[in-house]
């Protein structure tokens, strides 16, 4: 399973970078989305993929059972997803405004005033 | 629970909240901005005093013991950076009163400035990697909006590059954090410093170190990852670029220094050599880029890059010497350089704004005759400009001196030569601004504007204050250097940091 996810993460990263290098602002955004997803899955995989119990202390015990899943990775990913979502929402609006003012989807047209 | 550690986060948060509540009352927002940043400065100074007398302090949020909860840690380096954030915040808030236009003010400029300061202070104070990521995002989000606020075409174009590159850096940082957690099972910096070398293979360690170097390198704008900076920093209003120039890249530098003094120290021969090479290339490309520019703020933007090179130069030297004394000297040089640079660079951006108000442009070609128009401003320009180039007795001289001494001590003669030549080229850039904007006669068609008394006060007061600090740091270099040395000693003494955070004997 870890190998499969590792390949998937690699594909996500490759596709993300490829899209970011295309000459289109829209594909740039999609590339950023894929990179963020790749990073989230990476945390998920790095945290360890095991068939374990939910990390809940049973009523008659005082500590977690040994075979509990690690809840922290999911907390991390959840935070990262929320942050990534808000940042992407902002980026979409920004890119839309740029498209409106410059009338072009081509990042190369943005070089004006960059010399 | 130590209140002083939380104050630098709570003060800007409260100020931002109250500013949002007073959304339509700009007069109140303006007052709040000044009061809030002054309070932040006060809080920072109190924290610095505490750390100076008591050593490193740490507090566990929510009373979860480290390494399980989120830790806030302040050593001298963090505390100095928080004080500087307060200084820059206050200077920019006062400057904004006269320079910020009303549409931007009414769309939340002041609350955003506070949130930016909160993110910056959070990044300086946190002792946990994921928390650092969150503070980075808080800071980035505020900076995105500040950069694009107003929506001028140039701003939007600059913002796209800034947003894209910074999101890319965040994705890399997040991936690095994930792998780090997978390898060690902890994200607390002190816990990592203790565990990582025992757990990870050298190869994994170096790969992780490189990921962090990339992520923080983009944020710090080192060679060859700096292109977003000169493409965006000259587009927003002056007050915004001043606070960006002073604080944002320095958060990246802070993170680099923290990570490469605390955690990735095992393979210093590889990582710190790389840092040293990057430092040299950053210095050279930045200063050469500046030489090719003819726009006031773009010249200054390229100089930020060049100066970042000096700051990480000390970090590289510290890892490449066997002598603890020289290692401490190199890091102290870095810390001193950051202190000097933040004040000077913000000040130069503020001066560029006044020059634009008087001469009607940021283009050096269209400026001129400012010396005749306002001799006082000229003096206020020369102090930070000469300090940037490293003229004695100003602050930049002592910053460069200590780095050069450390470089000679570490027997890295090439990099010392590079640093000295770059200093000379910096002087060349500054004389270019001096000759074009201040000395040459004003172009015949240039608009002549004068400032009202209130504007003059609010624009020149922060500039004068920062210039006075530059002179003071230069004239009283020894006590300031003592602060930097104490910070460097704490950075090299990893055990003390680990002990304070984890609260157990090693």
């Amino acid at each position: 399973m870890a190998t499969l996810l590792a390949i998937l993460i690699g594909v996500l990263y490759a596709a993300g970078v490829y899209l970011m290098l295309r000459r289109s602002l829209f594909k740039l955004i999609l590339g950023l989305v894929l990179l963020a997803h790749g990073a989230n899955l990476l945390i998920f995989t790095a945290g360890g993929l095991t068939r374990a119990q939910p990390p809940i202390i049973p009523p008659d015990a005082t500590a977690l059972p040994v075979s509990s899943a690690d809840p922290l990775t999911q907390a991390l990913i959840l935070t990262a997803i929320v942050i990534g979502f808000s940042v992407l929402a902002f980026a979409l609006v920004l890119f839309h405004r740029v498209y409106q003012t410059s009338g072009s989807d081509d990042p190369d047209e943005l070089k004006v005033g960059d010399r | 629970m130590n209140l002083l550690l939380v104050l630098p986060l709570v003060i800007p948060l409260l100020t931002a909240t109250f500013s949002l509540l007073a959304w339509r009352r700009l007069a109140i927002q303006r007052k709040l901005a000044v009061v809030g940043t002054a309070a932040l400065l006060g809080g920072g100074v109190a924290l610095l005093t505490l750390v100076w007398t008591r050593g490193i302090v740490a507090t566990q949020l929510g009373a979860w013991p480290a390494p399980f909860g989120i830790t806030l840690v302040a050593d001298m380096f963090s505390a100095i950076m928080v004080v500087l954030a307060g200084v820059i915040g206050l200077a920019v808030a006062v400057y904004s009163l006269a320079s910020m236009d009303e549409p931007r003010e009414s769309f939340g400029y002041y609350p955003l400035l506070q949130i930016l300061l909160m993110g910056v202070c959070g990044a300086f104070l946190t002792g946990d990697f994921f928390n650092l990521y969150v503070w980075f995002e808080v800071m980035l989000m505020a900076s995105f909006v500040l950069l694009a606020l107003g929506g001028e075409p140039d701003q939007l174009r600059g913002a796209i590059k800034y947003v894209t590159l910074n999101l890319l850096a965040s994705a890399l940082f997040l991936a690095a954090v994930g792998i780090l957690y997978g390898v060690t099972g902890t994200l607390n910096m002190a816990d990592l410093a203790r565990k990582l070398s025992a757990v990870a293979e050298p190869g994994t360690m170096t790969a992780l170190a490189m990921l962090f170097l990339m992520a923080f390198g983009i944020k710090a704008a080192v060679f060859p990852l700096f292109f977003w900076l000169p493409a965006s920093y000259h587009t927003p209003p002056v007050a915004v670029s001043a606070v960006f120039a002073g604080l944002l890249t320095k958060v990246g530098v802070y993170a680099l220094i923290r990570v490469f003094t605390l955690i990735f120290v095992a393979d210093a021969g590889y990582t710190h050599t790389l840092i040293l090479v990057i430092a040299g290339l950053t210095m050279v490309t930045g200063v050469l880029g500046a030489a090719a520019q003819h726009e006031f703020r773009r010249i200054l933007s390229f100089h930020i890059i060049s100066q970042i090179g000096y700051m990480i130069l000390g970090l590289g030297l510290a890892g490449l010497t066997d002598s603890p004394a020289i290692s401490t000297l190199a890091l102290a040089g870095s810390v001193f350089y950051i202190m000097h640079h933040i004040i000077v660079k913000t000040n130069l951006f503020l001066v560029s704004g006044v020059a634009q108000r008087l001469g009607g442009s940021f283009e050096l070609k269209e400026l001129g005759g400012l010396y005749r128009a306002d001799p006082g401003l000229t003096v206020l320009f020369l102090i930070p400009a000469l300090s940037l180039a490293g003229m004695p007795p100003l602050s930049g001289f002592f910053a460069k001196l200590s780095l050069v001494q450390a470089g000679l001590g570490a027997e890295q003669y090439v990099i010392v030569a590079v640093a000295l030549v770059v200093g000379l080229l910096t002087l060349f850039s500054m004389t270019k601004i001096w000759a074009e904007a201040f000395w040459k006669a004003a172009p015949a068609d240039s608009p002549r504007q004068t400032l009202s008394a209130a504007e003059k006060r609010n624009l020149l007061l922060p500039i004068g204050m920062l210039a006075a600090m530059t002179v003071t740091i230069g004239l009283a270099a020894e006590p300031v250097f003592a602060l930097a040395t104490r910070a460097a000693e704490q950075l090299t003494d990893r055990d003390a940091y680990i002990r304070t955070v984890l609260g157990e004997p090693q």
Side-chain angles (χ1 to χ4, degrees):
Chain A
M1 192 62 187
T3 324
L4 202 65
L5 273 174
I7 294 171
L8 177 63
I9 294 162
V11 170
L12 279 175
Y13 268 89
V17 171
Y18 174 75
L19 283 174
M20 288 186 77
L21 294 175
R22 298 302 301 273
R23 285 174 57 176
S24 157
L25 288 180
F26 183 63
K27 287 174 184 151
L28 186 64
I29 289 237
L30 288 184
L32 281 174
V33 174
L34 291 187
L35 277 187
H37 288 343
N40 288 342
L41 271 182
L42 182 69
I43 301 179
F44 183 60
T45 317
L49 298 169
T50 46
R51 284 186 178 278
Q53 289 159 357
I56 297 169
I57 302 173
D60 51 344
T62 52
L64 275 179
V66 183
S67 60
S68 303
D70 182 356
L72 188 66
T73 45
Q74 291 165 39
L76 297 184
I77 296 169
L78 203 57
T79 316
I81 288 176
V82 173
I83 292 175
F85 170 75
S86 53
V87 170
L88 279 169
F90 174 80
L92 267 177
V93 177
L94 175 71
F95 282 45
H96 181 61
R97 278 296 300 277
V98 172
Y99 177 68
Q100 278 183 328
T101 48
S102 69
S104 162
D105 186 33
D106 185 350
D108 279 3
E109 307 271 318
L110 301 177
K111 276 190 194 159
V112 191
D114 201 18
R115 287 276 164 264
Chain B
M1 185 81 176
N2 197 324
L3 193 66
L4 282 180
L5 271 165
V6 192
L7 274 185
L9 310 176
V10 173
I11 292 171
L13 181 65
L14 284 180
T15 317
T17 316
F18 286 125
S19 304
L20 284 174
L21 290 175
W23 183 256
R24 289 180 194 288
R25 312 280 292 277
L26 284 181
I28 298 181
Q29 285 197 32
R30 291 190 189 114
K31 285 195 187 76
L32 270 174
V34 176
V35 173
T37 45
L40 176 64
L41 177 59
V45 171
L47 180 64
L48 186 67
T49 330
L50 178 77
V51 178
W52 177 259
T53 47
R54 287 227 338 241
I56 306 175
V57 285
T59 192
Q60 319 293 344
L61 293 183
W64 288 92
F68 303 110
I70 291 172
T71 313
L72 292 183
V73 198
D75 60 357
M76 281 300 289
F77 188 28
S78 310
I80 288 172
M81 297 303 280
V82 170
V83 171
L84 287 169
V87 170
I88 299 310
L90 181 59
V92 169
V94 174
Y95 190 86
S96 303
L97 298 179
S99 73
M100 196 50 65
D101 51 302
E102 203 158 311
R104 283 194 175 86
E105 283 183 319
S106 58
F107 275 98
Y109 167 74
Y110 291 112
L112 281 166
L113 184 65
Q114 297 296 332
I115 291 174
L116 183 78
L117 289 172
M118 177 175 77
V120 168
C121 290
F124 291 150
L125 288 174
T126 184
D128 179 280
F129 265 116
F130 198 77
N131 198 229
L132 180 63
Y133 166 75
V134 174
W135 287 124
F136 262 128
E137 294 303 304
V138 169
M139 178 185 98
L140 281 182
M141 203 63 205
S143 71
F144 291 166
V145 186
L146 278 175
L147 189 60
L149 195 66
E152 289 163 24
D154 270 352
Q155 276 187 291
L156 294 175
R157 279 195 284 266
I160 277 216
K161 295 157 198 166
Y162 179 84
V163 168
T164 311
L165 264 297
N166 275 297
L167 288 186
L168 186 66
S170 294
L172 283 174
F173 182 26
L174 195 57
V177 166
I179 299 174
L180 200 58
Y181 183 71
V183 173
T184 59
T186 180
L187 286 172
N188 184 293
M189 292 185 195
D191 203 27
L192 273 169
R194 195 179 51 165
K195 277 187 186 156
L196 191 61
S197 46
V199 182
E201 298 163 27
T204 323
M205 278 270 275
T206 312
L208 272 171
M210 291 302 105
L211 264 179
F212 277 107
L213 185 62
M214 277 283 284
F216 294 148
I218 294 178
K219 288 181 198 296
V222 300
F223 177 88
L225 310 166
F226 60 79
F227 294 98
W228 56 271
L229 193 151
S232 59
Y233 270 25
H234 65 290
T235 57
V238 176
V240 175
S241 24
V243 74
F244 280 22
L247 290 177
L248 291 197
T249 47
K250 260 55 72 184
V251 181
V253 175
Y254 167 85
L256 276 177
I257 293 182
R258 176 67 71 207
V259 167
F260 281 94
T261 53
L262 184 64
I263 293 162
F264 299 112
V265 287
D267 194 11
Y270 179 77
T271 51
H272 287 65
T273 309
L274 187 63
I275 290 176
L276 202 64
V277 172
I278 291 175
L281 289 170
T282 310
M283 284 191 272
V284 173
T285 43
V287 84
L288 291 182
Q293 298 297 326
H294 296 281
E295 205 256 26
F296 208 140
R297 284 197 288 175
R298 284 183 68 90
I299 297 179
L300 297 179
S301 300
F302 272 100
H303 275 296
I304 299 178
I305 299 165
S306 168
Q307 310 280 311
I308 297 288
Y310 283 100
M311 295 169 209
I312 61 170
L313 164 65
L315 175 61
L317 288 174
L320 289 178
T321 167
D322 296 327
S323 147
I326 293 171
S327 183
T328 308
L329 178 65
L331 280 174
S334 272
V335 175
F336 194 95
Y337 207 102
I338 294 175
M339 295 160 82
H340 136 75
H341 169 90
I342 290 181
I343 291 168
V344 161
K345 184 56 78 177
T346 308
N347 204 4
L348 282 170
F349 269 88
L350 297 181
V351 170
S352 82
V354 181
Q356 189 262 347
R357 286 292 280 271
L358 291 172
S361 174
F362 285 112
E363 292 292 337
L364 291 185
K365 242 181 279 170
E366 295 161 22
L367 284 170
L370 289 177
Y371 176 57
R372 176 165 297 197
D374 194 340
L377 179 69
T378 313
V379 174
L380 290 178
F381 165 75
L382 277 180
I383 291 172
L386 293 178
S387 177
L388 192 74
M391 289 285 127
L394 297 165
S395 58
F397 171 73
F398 296 100
K400 284 202 173 72
L401 179 70
S402 50
L403 283 174
V404 165
Q405 276 177 340
L408 292 177
E411 297 176 355
Q412 302 286 346
Y413 300 115
V414 180
I415 201 81
V416 170
V418 171
L420 291 175
V421 172
V422 169
L424 211 59
L425 289 171
T426 309
L427 188 59
F428 163 74
S429 268
M430 290 302 127
T431 45
K432 184 166 78 180
I433 297 180
W434 157 257
E436 291 279 327
F438 290 90
W439 192 244
K440 87 171 181 217
D445 55 344
S446 82
R448 275 285 144 236
Q449 282 144 4
T450 45
L451 302 169
S452 71
E455 279 183 330
K456 202 158 187 163
R457 187 190 65 219
N458 285 339
L459 291 176
L460 293 184
L461 183 72
I463 297 179
M465 201 179 80
L466 293 178
M469 287 184 76
T470 307
V471 176
T472 316
I473 294 180
L475 293 180
E478 201 173 334
V480 182
F481 201 76
L483 281 179
T485 308
R486 180 78 73 89
E489 281 164 5
Q490 290 180 349
L491 284 173
T492 42
D493 184 12
R494 297 163 68 220
D495 284 341
Y497 185 95
I498 297 171
R499 264 200 312 276
T500 314
V501 174
L502 298 178
E504 59 191 55
Q506 285 301 297

